[in-house]
Amino acid sequence: MPFLEVNNLCKRYDATQALAGVSFSIGGGEVLGLLGPNGAGKTTTLMIMAGLLRADAGTLSCEGRPLDPTAPAYRRSLGFAPQNIAAYPELTALENLRFFGRLYGLKRSDLATRAAEILAITGLAPRQHSRVATFSGGMKRRLNFGIALLHRPNLLILDEPTVGVDPQSRAHLIGQTRALRDQGVSVIYASHYMEEVQVVCDRVAIMDQGRIVVADTLRNLLHRLDAETLVEIPATACEQLDALTQAADRVEQRGDRLVLAVRQPDDNGASGIGPAVSRLLAVLDELRLPVLSVTTKRPDLEQLFLRMTGRELRD
Amino acid sequence: MGIRSIITKDLRVLTRDHRALAVLLVMPMVFIAILGFSTGQLIGWQNENTSLTLMVDHPADDPFSGRFVDLLRRREGLVVAVASDAASARKEVDDGNCTAALLIGPAFRERVSGLRLRDALQPEQGALAAGLAGLDVAIHTQRTQPIAQTLTRQLVWATALRFIVNETLERDPLARAYLAHASPSAATRPALVEECPPQTWVTPGDFRVMAYQIIVPAYTVLFAFFLINIMARSFLSERRQGTLDRLRVAPIGPFVLLVGKTAPYYLLSVAQGVALFAFGRLLFGMSWGSAPGMLMLVVACTSLAATTLA
């Protein structure tokens, strides 16, 4: 049974249908990546899940039981890191942690321990007494993340947690998210960074125009796309172009080389040599053309995302 | 717990926002102080400015006019100094060292001695119809101080009438006989009119203090409502920086959030009101009335009205 289920959420802002029946689920200790172009409805979905917005229709359920997102018990189990840096710039990192810890009812001794842990996790311990206004973008992001973890939530909602941070902070945040998954925390990870989602998420849901277009494990999603094997031969082989275009899906010239591309279903694991590639290699052998290189380009999430949501610009 | 945490946090944030603090606490004081400067009511100036200073020149060898000067000295709100001559008295006025010069001529004794009781009782019709000039008395003030001139003239004229009544009563046999009959000790009293209960004259200084009785409370109300701006800014910045969402996601109810966000500004408004009244008393000598506790209640209610409006 999934830890949390979202069923048929609908939300309309005046004339705009922001959500048109969003449904997905997340298991315990799972990281679900929520992807979608701008205006797809990701933030609206997350805000409804955090109890900040009321859905026009649809339900949430936790372990099979109906869930009221405004119920204090749910709120105590929810960690929320909004897209903005939601910390007080006039206060120090430690003061921010203490304040939010008190709101979640942490006792004084527990709060001190937990704040120290969070400062260590986020790497902010040396600057705990500095005002947040003096922090770099990466430090602010780490604090934003840390505040969401303070009260040991079971469900963590991260809305674009790595926007505008340097690679070090990004790697740190991704590492911490994976550590949380290992501790059994369920994480909903909304992001525009595909490589990041590919690294950190167990399952991915792609949204577009207020709907979930596809939701599955990363492996299953990637198998929906064909891998592409590129075989390079000398450009002098142009004389046999007819035979080559029959054997390859695409032929293009790159300088003094011809590149022959062959698509094949991505179900061969790391080997990458399928029947289509074997056929092409046999043709090249018959024509006595030398093979300069063979590379297989595996499908990635970005390709899948563009395939699912299209390439037209969004507002 | 939640309310206290939010109050503590907001007060801490406020103390670090020096601009807001200046607007809330320093600006009202500066504003009131500017008013004090403009009306000459700041501390140290007040005692000087609540009294009219009069430089008197009178014949030195005339004890009669000296008695009149003594009577003037006893007037509340009037500071009297004797000049060596008329020219130096005028110069003191022209230099701005005193409000007016009172120049008593050599004919003063003769003119007063020629008056009768009825002249004093009907000054506008008899020998006193010419006013102070008819007594050989002149007042010199700066032309730019018409109010001071008028006030001085009225004070001197009122004192002169009292002096004349005393003098004419002393000389009138009927009046002396009546007083002796009515009360044996009364006949020996040097000045009948002086026995009247002392009148409380409203001096120019009193008017200014009365003005502050109105101005300080008025500005207390004004600045209490000025707080609305700062309070709204606090809510908006919570919203802009995303902390409002974080507060709304926390397991606290909307009531806790509302009270927690409102109470710091209420406390600040009360502190502002108390500081303004303390400032008004220290610098302008304003009165807190007979029940300062009720004044505190008014401050508390005004602050409540302002913060709830915000």
Side-chain angles (χ1 to χ4, degrees):
Chain A
M1 182 179 293
F3 175 68
L4 188 83
E5 268 186 293
V6 173
N7 301 306
N8 206 27
L9 284 187
C10 294
K11 179 72 185 175
R12 174 179 279 277
Y13 298 113
D14 298 324
T16 308
Q17 185 75 43
L19 301 182
V22 170
S23 300
F24 61 88
S25 65
I26 177 168
E30 183 181 53
V31 182
L32 174 72
L34 197 57
L35 297 177
N38 292 331
K42 301 186 298 295
T43 299
T44 302
T45 305
L46 296 182
M47 287 180 84
I48 290 172
M49 292 180 73
L52 293 170
L53 272 181
R54 196 180 290 271
D56 297 336
T59 57
L60 299 177
S61 60
C62 181
E63 293 174 334
R65 290 188 298 273
L67 179 69
D68 174 9
T70 61
Y74 170 68
R75 289 185 166 185
R76 266 190 284 274
S77 70
L78 172 72
F80 179 55
Q83 195 173 333
N84 292 342
I85 309 284
Y88 297 98
E90 302 89 349
L91 302 183
T92 66
L94 185 60
E95 285 168 343
N96 268 289
L97 289 171
R98 280 183 182 159
F99 168 64
F100 285 108
R102 281 191 210 106
L103 287 190
Y104 280 88
L106 297 186
K107 302 289 177 213
R108 186 182 289 265
S109 58
D110 187 27
L111 179 56
T113 312
R114 189 62 186 151
E117 282 173 14
I118 296 294
L119 287 167
I121 286 171
T122 53
L124 292 173
R127 295 287 304 275
Q128 60 180 299
H129 297 298
S130 301
R131 290 193 192 177
V132 174
T134 65
F135 282 9
S136 68
M139 291 165 78
K140 287 177 183 171
R141 279 279 159 211
R142 280 184 271 148
L143 179 63
N144 196 37
F145 179 77
I147 292 170
L149 303 183
L150 191 61
H151 56 289
R152 302 181 184 90
N154 297 325
L155 173 65
L156 186 62
I157 295 177
L158 304 175
D159 192 0
E160 303 197 26
T162 59
V163 171
V165 303
D166 56 29
Q168 287 82 359
S169 288
R170 177 175 295 178
H172 187 87
L173 288 170
I174 289 171
Q176 290 304 323
T177 307
R178 291 161 94 170
L180 286 169
R181 176 187 60 189
D182 297 342
Q183 291 164 25
V185 177
S186 303
V187 182
I188 297 179
Y189 195 101
S191 178
H192 284 298
Y193 298 117
M194 304 296 160
E195 71 282 9
E196 203 174 285
V197 171
Q198 215 161 333
V199 169
V200 79
C201 297
D202 304 305
R203 286 197 311 128
V204 174
I206 296 178
M207 288 188 74
D208 193 21
Q209 296 179 342
R211 294 175 196 279
I212 298 287
V213 180
V214 65
D216 208 336
T217 62
L218 196 61
R219 184 182 172 83
N220 289 345
L221 286 176
L222 293 179
H223 281 178
R224 294 178 180 225
L225 292 181
D226 293 338
E228 193 173 53
T229 299
L230 303 176
V231 178
E232 287 187 324
I233 57 173
T236 50
C238 282
E239 294 159 7
Q240 287 95 7
L241 201 56
D242 288 345
L244 292 174
T245 48
Q246 282 177 4
D249 296 318
R250 182 161 53 87
V251 179
E252 60 183 72
Q253 186 169 356
R254 290 181 190 167
D256 59 348
R257 296 177 176 206
L258 277 184
V259 180
L260 312 174
V262 178
R263 281 203 308 273
Q264 59 178 338
D266 184 44
D267 55 2
N268 298 298
S271 70
I273 302 294
V277 179
S278 301
R279 260 199 314 277
L280 176 64
L281 291 176
V283 170
L284 292 175
D285 192 41
E286 274 177 30
L287 297 172
R288 295 184 185 282
L289 291 173
V291 175
L292 300 176
S293 71
V294 178
T295 52
T296 300
K297 228 173 112 183
R298 311 202 65 77
D300 62 15
L301 198 54
E302 186 159 346
Q303 285 174 288
L304 178 75
F305 181 81
L306 290 172
R307 173 79 65 86
M308 293 294 175
T309 59
R311 286 181 175 271
E312 65 270 25
L313 296 175
R314 307 301 173 89
D315 295 326
Chain B
M1 187 66 182
I3 291 178
R4 209 175 70 187
S5 300
I6 297 173
I7 291 173
T8 311
K9 182 270 294 175
D10 265 2
L11 287 176
R12 189 169 282 156
V13 168
L14 262 172
T15 56
R16 290 176 189 176
D17 185 354
H18 296 145
R19 201 169 48 177
L21 263 193
V23 168
L24 289 175
L25 294 177
V26 182
M27 210 171 90
M29 312 303 166
V30 172
F31 218 81
I32 296 287
I34 288 170
L35 279 177
F37 273 116
S38 63
T39 57
Q41 281 297 292
L42 271 185
I43 197 162
W45 301 1
Q46 192 175 318
N47 289 340
E48 292 172 24
N49 292 326
T50 52
S51 300
L52 292 172
T53 50
L54 200 59
M55 190 60 73
V56 179
D57 169 55
H58 71 104
D61 54 348
D62 181 10
F64 187 81
S65 60
R67 286 217 308 275
F68 176 53
V69 173
D70 286 343
L71 194 58
L72 281 170
R73 281 199 175 103
R74 288 202 290 266
R75 292 304 300 255
E76 215 177 320
L78 201 60
V79 175
V80 176
V82 177
S84 55
D85 54 49
S88 62
R90 282 196 183 92
K91 187 172 184 307
E92 287 292 310
V93 174
D94 295 340
D95 291 348
N97 297 327
C98 61
T99 316
L102 179 67
L103 310 172
I104 302 174
F108 177 72
R109 180 190 182 117
E110 185 193 335
R111 303 266 174 92
V112 172
S113 298
L115 296 170
R116 284 179 292 180
L117 186 57
R118 71 176 184 201
D119 296 318
L121 295 176
Q122 292 181 308
E124 63 281 358
Q125 291 174 4
L128 288 174
L132 286 171
L135 297 173
D136 194 18
V137 171
I139 291 175
H140 174 71
T141 55
Q142 285 187 347
R143 285 182 182 175
T144 55
Q145 302 285 332
I147 296 173
Q149 186 178 29
T150 307
L151 284 170
T152 309
R153 188 174 291 281
Q154 286 179 354
L155 271 172
V156 171
W157 178 240
T159 310
L161 285 178
R162 190 188 293 182
F163 180 75
I164 290 163
V165 167
N166 282 339
E167 290 299 319
T168 50
L169 278 174
E170 286 286 326
R171 290 198 307 270
D172 191 309
L174 275 174
R176 274 199 305 208
Y178 170 74
L179 289 170
H181 176 72
S183 168
S185 61
T188 61
R189 282 182 299 191
L192 180 69
V193 177
E194 290 297 310
E195 294 302 313
C196 295
Q199 297 176 49
T200 305
W201 292 88
V202 178
T203 64
D206 291 334
F207 277 120
R208 287 173 189 163
V209 172
M210 279 170 67
Y212 274 97
Q213 293 294 109
I214 297 166
I215 288 171
V216 172
Y219 278 98
T220 305
V221 174
L222 175 79
F223 282 104
F225 283 87
F226 202 75
L227 196 78
I228 293 170
N229 179 31
I230 308 287
M231 198 171 161
R233 210 179 72 179
S234 161
F235 271 96
L236 288 174
S237 69
E238 291 265 15
R239 189 172 169 174
R240 193 180 55 245
Q241 65 201 20
T243 44
L244 187 62
D245 280 350
R246 198 153 238 165
L247 292 176
R248 288 175 61 208
V249 167
I252 54 169
F255 176 77
V256 171
L257 183 54
L258 185 67
V259 173
K261 286 296 298 174
T262 310
Y265 294 93
Y266 174 72
L267 295 176
L268 203 67
S269 177
V270 170
Q272 188 188 62
V274 169
L276 268 173
F277 275 97
F279 206 66
R281 186 180 180 91
L282 281 175
L283 293 194
F284 314 121
M286 71 169 292
S287 166
W288 287 349
S290 56
M294 296 304 283
L295 193 64
M296 192 61 218
L297 187 65
V298 170
V299 170
C301 290
T302 306
S303 299
L304 189 65
T307 45
T308 48
L309 184 67

